[in-house]
Amino acid sequence: MYLDPRIKLRHLQTFAEVARLRSVGRAAERLAVSQPAVSKTLAELETILGASLMVRNRGGAVPTPIGQLFLTHAEASLAMLRHGVEAVAEGLAQTAVRLAIGCLPSVAARIVPDAAIVFAGLAPGATLSIVSGPNAFLLSELASGALDLVIGRMGPAEAMTRFSFSQLYSERIALVVRPGHPLEHETDAAAIADFPLLFPDENAAIRSIAEQFFVARGLRRRSERIETVADSFGRSFVRKTDAIWVISSGVVALDVAEGRLCELPIDMAGTSGPVGLTMRAEGEIPPVLRLFIQAVRDTVGRLALTDGRS
């Protein structure tokens, strides 16, 4: 028989506290809620179970025979939950837990900072080691055991046989320039052929997608092309030149939002690719890694990442 999903932790806590103190009022004080809230929670639990659990007499609020039977199991469940929470807390406090996380530059700029803040609240005793680099390098480090998790693009099919991949969101390519660039308001992709490019290098996960974009629009390859995904170099170079930076939108999202760089309003449909979590396929996921994954998913959900312009 499955546990009724309507039964919540607050139902068990409230019922056990009233039974222990023999008083709705004192239980309300203990739980820092109002008396009507306690009474309502008890009534909800009785409705769910289809049984009367408490009676009031001169001794206060006491369990019925059915209530006493349920109380035994409720207290045991609460005790086991407390032991579990304490075990996690003790494990984090007494053990130097270290996670090695690999991430693409776009993820390092957009997701990981907020996720690290959330994770610090979930696992204050853990240490994060953050490594950023090309997708192929990160996957090789994951395979060797040097990394516990990679947040990036899905690798080629032949490289993913040892891994599991879970998509978080899709991310497109952006064409980025300095404020005041001659093409700042240009919507015709053909216009970019007359300007130098910063293009993804051969190890970049977005290289093939960027190449396909240029081929599909008949854009010729320029001799004035620097190949890199080094974000610090890219930011500095495009601010000083008329070059156009071909880069994942997440890398420059904050720069564009704050007006330090501009994204050309050119249709980049078809340049999106999945960004997600890659782990080794074998073995159980350690609890502390599950907490970090939760922090990442919470961050992605809060930012509501889409393929559109934000």
Side-chain angles (χ1 to χ4, degrees), residues 95-133:
T95 305
V97 178
R98 184 181 183 88
L99 283 181
I101 307 299
C103 55
L104 290 179
S106 61
V107 178
R110 198 174 192 185
I111 304 300
V112 175
D114 285 1
I117 293 171
V118 174
F119 178 69
L122 296 174
T127 297
L128 278 180
S129 173
I130 307 296
V131 177
S132 183

mmCIF file of all heavy atoms in Angstrom, residues 95-133:
data_model
loop_
_atom_site.group_PDB
_atom_site.id
_atom_site.type_symbol
_atom_site.label_atom_id
_atom_site.label_comp_id
_atom_site.label_asym_id
_atom_site.label_seq_id
_atom_site.Cartn_x
_atom_site.Cartn_y
_atom_site.Cartn_z
ATOM 1 N N THR A 95 33.790 15.467 7.634
ATOM 2 C CA THR A 95 34.530 14.989 6.472
ATOM 3 C C THR A 95 34.810 16.147 5.531
ATOM 4 O O THR A 95 33.944 16.959 5.271
ATOM 5 C CB THR A 95 33.711 13.913 5.716
ATOM 6 O OG1 THR A 95 33.361 12.874 6.628
ATOM 7 C CG2 THR A 95 34.514 13.334 4.568
ATOM 8 N N ALA A 96 36.029 16.207 5.026
ATOM 9 C CA ALA A 96 36.387 17.265 4.080
ATOM 10 C C ALA A 96 35.836 16.886 2.710
ATOM 11 O O ALA A 96 36.531 16.295 1.875
ATOM 12 C CB ALA A 96 37.894 17.430 4.027
ATOM 13 N N VAL A 97 34.575 17.201 2.480
ATOM 14 C CA VAL A 97 33.927 16.854 1.221
ATOM 15 C C VAL A 97 34.376 17.829 0.145
ATOM 16 O O VAL A 97 34.317 19.047 0.330
ATOM 17 C CB VAL A 97 32.389 16.903 1.377
ATOM 18 C CG1 VAL A 97 31.717 16.577 0.050
ATOM 19 C CG2 VAL A 97 31.938 15.929 2.448
ATOM 20 N N ARG A 98 34.807 17.300 -0.983
ATOM 21 C CA ARG A 98 35.288 18.142 -2.074
ATOM 22 C C ARG A 98 34.646 17.681 -3.373
ATOM 23 O O ARG A 98 34.673 16.502 -3.696
ATOM 24 C CB ARG A 98 36.806 18.063 -2.180
ATOM 25 C CG ARG A 98 37.423 18.983 -3.242
ATOM 26 C CD ARG A 98 38.938 18.806 -3.297
ATOM 27 N NE ARG A 98 39.556 19.719 -4.238
ATOM 28 C CZ ARG A 98 39.950 20.941 -3.929
ATOM 29 N NH1 ARG A 98 39.787 21.388 -2.679
ATOM 30 N NH2 ARG A 98 40.502 21.733 -4.829
ATOM 31 N N LEU A 99 34.080 18.616 -4.104
ATOM 32 C CA LEU A 99 33.491 18.334 -5.400
ATOM 33 C C LEU A 99 34.290 19.064 -6.472
ATOM 34 O O LEU A 99 34.597 20.246 -6.327
ATOM 35 C CB LEU A 99 32.034 18.798 -5.465
ATOM 36 C CG LEU A 99 30.973 17.944 -4.786
ATOM 37 C CD1 LEU A 99 29.598 18.575 -5.005
ATOM 38 C CD2 LEU A 99 30.981 16.523 -5.314
ATOM 39 N N ALA A 100 34.597 18.352 -7.547
ATOM 40 C CA ALA A 100 35.284 18.958 -8.683
ATOM 41 C C ALA A 100 34.278 19.071 -9.819
ATOM 42 O O ALA A 100 33.799 18.060 -10.342
ATOM 43 C CB ALA A 100 36.486 18.118 -9.101
ATOM 44 N N ILE A 101 33.951 20.305 -10.184
ATOM 45 C CA ILE A 101 32.928 20.568 -11.183
ATOM 46 C C ILE A 101 33.554 21.195 -12.416
ATOM 47 O O ILE A 101 34.279 22.191 -12.323
ATOM 48 C CB ILE A 101 31.846 21.534 -10.621
ATOM 49 C CG1 ILE A 101 31.283 21.004 -9.304
ATOM 50 C CG2 ILE A 101 30.753 21.755 -11.655
ATOM 51 C CD1 ILE A 101 30.602 19.670 -9.399
ATOM 52 N N GLY A 102 33.281 20.627 -13.584
ATOM 53 C CA GLY A 102 33.732 21.207 -14.838
ATOM 54 C C GLY A 102 32.590 21.926 -15.525
ATOM 55 O O GLY A 102 31.451 21.449 -15.498
ATOM 56 N N CYS A 103 32.874 23.077 -16.120
ATOM 57 C CA CYS A 103 31.798 23.822 -16.776
ATOM 58 C C CYS A 103 32.336 24.621 -17.956
ATOM 59 O O CYS A 103 33.474 25.100 -17.935
ATOM 60 C CB CYS A 103 31.086 24.743 -15.787
ATOM 61 S SG CYS A 103 32.160 25.881 -14.909
ATOM 62 N N LEU A 104 31.517 24.750 -18.972
ATOM 63 C CA LEU A 104 31.841 25.605 -20.097
ATOM 64 C C LEU A 104 31.892 27.064 -19.641
ATOM 65 O O LEU A 104 31.267 27.422 -18.643
ATOM 66 C CB LEU A 104 30.793 25.455 -21.198
ATOM 67 C CG LEU A 104 30.767 24.132 -21.957
ATOM 68 C CD1 LEU A 104 29.646 24.144 -22.986
ATOM 69 C CD2 LEU A 104 32.100 23.869 -22.631
ATOM 70 N N PRO A 105 32.607 27.926 -20.375
ATOM 71 C CA PRO A 105 32.650 29.347 -20.000
ATOM 72 C C PRO A 105 31.268 29.980 -19.884
ATOM 73 O O PRO A 105 31.029 30.817 -19.009
ATOM 74 C CB PRO A 105 33.464 29.975 -21.135
ATOM 75 C CG PRO A 105 34.363 28.867 -21.591
ATOM 76 C CD PRO A 105 33.542 27.624 -21.486
ATOM 77 N N SER A 106 30.327 29.592 -20.756
ATOM 78 C CA SER A 106 28.981 30.165 -20.683
ATOM 79 C C SER A 106 28.291 29.790 -19.381
ATOM 80 O O SER A 106 27.580 30.593 -18.771
ATOM 81 C CB SER A 106 28.140 29.703 -21.871
ATOM 82 O OG SER A 106 27.999 28.296 -21.882
ATOM 83 N N VAL A 107 28.513 28.551 -18.946
ATOM 84 C CA VAL A 107 27.913 28.090 -17.689
ATOM 85 C C VAL A 107 28.614 28.717 -16.498
ATOM 86 O O VAL A 107 27.982 29.091 -15.507
ATOM 87 C CB VAL A 107 27.985 26.549 -17.608
ATOM 88 C CG1 VAL A 107 27.414 26.055 -16.288
ATOM 89 C CG2 VAL A 107 27.238 25.924 -18.781
ATOM 90 N N ALA A 108 29.943 28.841 -16.606
ATOM 91 C CA ALA A 108 30.713 29.454 -15.524
ATOM 92 C C ALA A 108 30.269 30.891 -15.279
ATOM 93 O O ALA A 108 30.271 31.368 -14.143
ATOM 94 C CB ALA A 108 32.203 29.416 -15.855
ATOM 95 N N ALA A 109 29.878 31.576 -16.344
ATOM 96 C CA ALA A 109 29.485 32.979 -16.213
ATOM 97 C C ALA A 109 28.045 33.137 -15.763
ATOM 98 O O ALA A 109 27.713 34.066 -15.017
ATOM 99 C CB ALA A 109 29.682 33.698 -17.552
ATOM 100 N N ARG A 110 27.182 32.225 -16.168
ATOM 101 C CA ARG A 110 25.746 32.453 -16.007
ATOM 102 C C ARG A 110 25.088 31.618 -14.912
ATOM 103 O O ARG A 110 24.157 32.070 -14.263
ATOM 104 C CB ARG A 110 25.063 32.160 -17.353
ATOM 105 C CG ARG A 110 23.682 32.739 -17.485
ATOM 106 C CD ARG A 110 23.178 32.505 -18.891
ATOM 107 N NE ARG A 110 21.966 33.270 -19.170
ATOM 108 C CZ ARG A 110 21.266 33.164 -20.291
ATOM 109 N NH1 ARG A 110 21.650 32.330 -21.218
ATOM 110 N NH2 ARG A 110 20.182 33.891 -20.469
ATOM 111 N N ILE A 111 25.552 30.386 -14.718
ATOM 112 C CA ILE A 111 24.856 29.443 -13.831
ATOM 113 C C ILE A 111 25.614 29.167 -12.546
ATOM 114 O O ILE A 111 25.056 29.227 -11.439
ATOM 115 C CB ILE A 111 24.615 28.099 -14.564
ATOM 116 C CG1 ILE A 111 23.850 28.323 -15.869
ATOM 117 C CG2 ILE A 111 23.878 27.126 -13.657
ATOM 118 C CD1 ILE A 111 22.499 28.945 -15.681
ATOM 119 N N VAL A 112 26.892 28.850 -12.661
ATOM 120 C CA VAL A 112 27.649 28.332 -11.525
ATOM 121 C C VAL A 112 27.751 29.316 -10.350
ATOM 122 O O VAL A 112 27.666 28.882 -9.198
ATOM 123 C CB VAL A 112 29.042 27.851 -11.974
ATOM 124 C CG1 VAL A 112 29.892 27.426 -10.787
ATOM 125 C CG2 VAL A 112 28.891 26.682 -12.935
ATOM 126 N N PRO A 113 27.940 30.623 -10.568
ATOM 127 C CA PRO A 113 28.029 31.519 -9.401
ATOM 128 C C PRO A 113 26.808 31.442 -8.490
ATOM 129 O O PRO A 113 26.944 31.295 -7.271
ATOM 130 C CB PRO A 113 28.186 32.906 -10.043
ATOM 131 C CG PRO A 113 28.852 32.632 -11.350
ATOM 132 C CD PRO A 113 28.238 31.349 -11.826
ATOM 133 N N ASP A 114 25.611 31.530 -9.073
ATOM 134 C CA ASP A 114 24.397 31.459 -8.259
ATOM 135 C C ASP A 114 24.214 30.063 -7.659
ATOM 136 O O ASP A 114 23.781 29.921 -6.508
ATOM 137 C CB ASP A 114 23.177 31.827 -9.097
ATOM 138 C CG ASP A 114 23.071 33.319 -9.353
ATOM 139 O OD1 ASP A 114 23.964 34.057 -8.890
ATOM 140 O OD2 ASP A 114 22.113 33.758 -10.016
ATOM 141 N N ALA A 115 24.537 29.031 -8.445
ATOM 142 C CA ALA A 115 24.415 27.657 -7.935
ATOM 143 C C ALA A 115 25.357 27.432 -6.757
ATOM 144 O O ALA A 115 25.007 26.748 -5.789
ATOM 145 C CB ALA A 115 24.694 26.652 -9.042
ATOM 146 N N ALA A 116 26.559 28.012 -6.821
ATOM 147 C CA ALA A 116 27.515 27.870 -5.723
ATOM 148 C C ALA A 116 27.004 28.528 -4.449
ATOM 149 O O ALA A 116 27.229 28.016 -3.343
ATOM 150 C CB ALA A 116 28.863 28.470 -6.126
ATOM 151 N N ILE A 117 26.314 29.654 -4.601
ATOM 152 C CA ILE A 117 25.741 30.329 -3.430
ATOM 153 C C ILE A 117 24.657 29.465 -2.797
ATOM 154 O O ILE A 117 24.601 29.292 -1.571
ATOM 155 C CB ILE A 117 25.181 31.704 -3.839
ATOM 156 C CG1 ILE A 117 26.318 32.631 -4.255
ATOM 157 C CG2 ILE A 117 24.391 32.330 -2.682
ATOM 158 C CD1 ILE A 117 25.861 33.936 -4.866
ATOM 159 N N VAL A 118 23.788 28.896 -3.628
ATOM 160 C CA VAL A 118 22.730 28.017 -3.119
ATOM 161 C C VAL A 118 23.341 26.786 -2.460
ATOM 162 O O VAL A 118 22.926 26.364 -1.370
ATOM 163 C CB VAL A 118 21.777 27.589 -4.260
ATOM 164 C CG1 VAL A 118 20.766 26.562 -3.758
ATOM 165 C CG2 VAL A 118 21.052 28.804 -4.828
ATOM 166 N N PHE A 119 24.349 26.207 -3.104
ATOM 167 C CA PHE A 119 24.994 24.994 -2.587
ATOM 168 C C PHE A 119 25.657 25.246 -1.235
ATOM 169 O O PHE A 119 25.626 24.385 -0.356
ATOM 170 C CB PHE A 119 26.028 24.496 -3.594
ATOM 171 C CG PHE A 119 26.789 23.280 -3.151
ATOM 172 C CD1 PHE A 119 26.162 22.053 -3.037
ATOM 173 C CD2 PHE A 119 28.136 23.367 -2.835
ATOM 174 C CE1 PHE A 119 26.861 20.924 -2.619
ATOM 175 C CE2 PHE A 119 28.849 22.250 -2.429
ATOM 176 C CZ PHE A 119 28.206 21.025 -2.318
ATOM 177 N N ALA A 120 26.242 26.429 -1.055
ATOM 178 C CA ALA A 120 26.887 26.748 0.223
ATOM 179 C C ALA A 120 25.892 26.695 1.368
ATOM 180 O O ALA A 120 26.243 26.331 2.500
ATOM 181 C CB ALA A 120 27.537 28.134 0.149
ATOM 182 N N GLY A 121 24.636 27.049 1.089
ATOM 183 C CA GLY A 121 23.608 26.947 2.123
ATOM 184 C C GLY A 121 23.160 25.528 2.372
ATOM 185 O O GLY A 121 22.785 25.175 3.497
ATOM 186 N N LEU A 122 23.213 24.683 1.339
ATOM 187 C CA LEU A 122 22.785 23.289 1.482
ATOM 188 C C LEU A 122 23.875 22.414 2.095
ATOM 189 O O LEU A 122 23.576 21.465 2.819
ATOM 190 C CB LEU A 122 22.410 22.722 0.104
ATOM 191 C CG LEU A 122 21.216 23.365 -0.616
ATOM 192 C CD1 LEU A 122 21.078 22.791 -2.020
ATOM 193 C CD2 LEU A 122 19.932 23.140 0.179
ATOM 194 N N ALA A 123 25.137 22.710 1.777
ATOM 195 C CA ALA A 123 26.261 21.892 2.254
ATOM 196 C C ALA A 123 27.409 22.799 2.675
ATOM 197 O O ALA A 123 28.421 22.909 1.972
ATOM 198 C CB ALA A 123 26.707 20.933 1.157
ATOM 199 N N PRO A 124 27.267 23.468 3.825
ATOM 200 C CA PRO A 124 28.279 24.452 4.244
ATOM 201 C C PRO A 124 29.656 23.859 4.503
ATOM 202 O O PRO A 124 30.646 24.581 4.512
ATOM 203 C CB PRO A 124 27.677 25.046 5.521
ATOM 204 C CG PRO A 124 26.689 24.019 6.002
ATOM 205 C CD PRO A 124 26.145 23.376 4.768
ATOM 206 N N GLY A 125 29.749 22.539 4.701
ATOM 207 C CA GLY A 125 31.050 21.944 4.974
ATOM 208 C C GLY A 125 31.792 21.478 3.739
ATOM 209 O O GLY A 125 32.904 20.960 3.841
ATOM 210 N N ALA A 126 31.209 21.661 2.563
ATOM 211 C CA ALA A 126 31.810 21.140 1.340
ATOM 212 C C ALA A 126 32.666 22.191 0.642
ATOM 213 O O ALA A 126 32.438 23.389 0.775
ATOM 214 C CB ALA A 126 30.729 20.641 0.389
ATOM 215 N N THR A 127 33.655 21.717 -0.110
ATOM 216 C CA THR A 127 34.516 22.584 -0.906
ATOM 217 C C THR A 127 34.268 22.321 -2.380
ATOM 218 O O THR A 127 34.223 21.176 -2.815
ATOM 219 C CB THR A 127 36.001 22.312 -0.589
ATOM 220 O OG1 THR A 127 36.259 22.622 0.773
ATOM 221 C CG2 THR A 127 36.908 23.162 -1.482
ATOM 222 N N LEU A 128 34.101 23.386 -3.152
ATOM 223 C CA LEU A 128 33.904 23.271 -4.590
ATOM 224 C C LEU A 128 35.198 23.615 -5.323
ATOM 225 O O LEU A 128 35.828 24.631 -5.032
ATOM 226 C CB LEU A 128 32.807 24.228 -5.065
ATOM 227 C CG LEU A 128 31.350 23.793 -4.918
ATOM 228 C CD1 LEU A 128 30.430 24.891 -5.441
ATOM 229 C CD2 LEU A 128 31.084 22.492 -5.647
ATOM 230 N N SER A 129 35.553 22.784 -6.272
ATOM 231 C CA SER A 129 36.649 23.097 -7.182
ATOM 232 C C SER A 129 36.032 23.268 -8.568
ATOM 233 O O SER A 129 35.428 22.335 -9.103
ATOM 234 C CB SER A 129 37.680 21.966 -7.193
ATOM 235 O OG SER A 129 38.658 22.204 -8.182
ATOM 236 N N ILE A 130 36.120 24.476 -9.130
ATOM 237 C CA ILE A 130 35.495 24.786 -10.404
ATOM 238 C C ILE A 130 36.556 24.850 -11.501
ATOM 239 O O ILE A 130 37.528 25.594 -11.395
ATOM 240 C CB ILE A 130 34.738 26.132 -10.348
ATOM 241 C CG1 ILE A 130 33.756 26.151 -9.160
ATOM 242 C CG2 ILE A 130 34.032 26.400 -11.662
ATOM 243 C CD1 ILE A 130 32.648 25.145 -9.255
ATOM 244 N N VAL A 131 36.360 24.062 -12.543
ATOM 245 C CA VAL A 131 37.270 24.043 -13.685
ATOM 246 C C VAL A 131 36.477 24.424 -14.925
ATOM 247 O O VAL A 131 35.428 23.836 -15.210
ATOM 248 C CB VAL A 131 37.894 22.647 -13.879
ATOM 249 C CG1 VAL A 131 38.788 22.633 -15.120
ATOM 250 C CG2 VAL A 131 38.672 22.235 -12.638
ATOM 251 N N SER A 132 36.959 25.422 -15.672
ATOM 252 C CA SER A 132 36.296 25.841 -16.907
ATOM 253 C C SER A 132 37.218 25.559 -18.087
ATOM 254 O O SER A 132 38.439 25.696 -17.983
ATOM 255 C CB SER A 132 35.949 27.328 -16.849
ATOM 256 O OG SER A 132 35.257 27.729 -18.008
ATOM 257 N N GLY A 133 36.625 25.154 -19.200
ATOM 258 C CA GLY A 133 37.427 24.861 -20.375
ATOM 259 C C GLY A 133 36.578 24.311 -21.496
ATOM 260 O O GLY A 133 35.340 24.251 -21.385
#
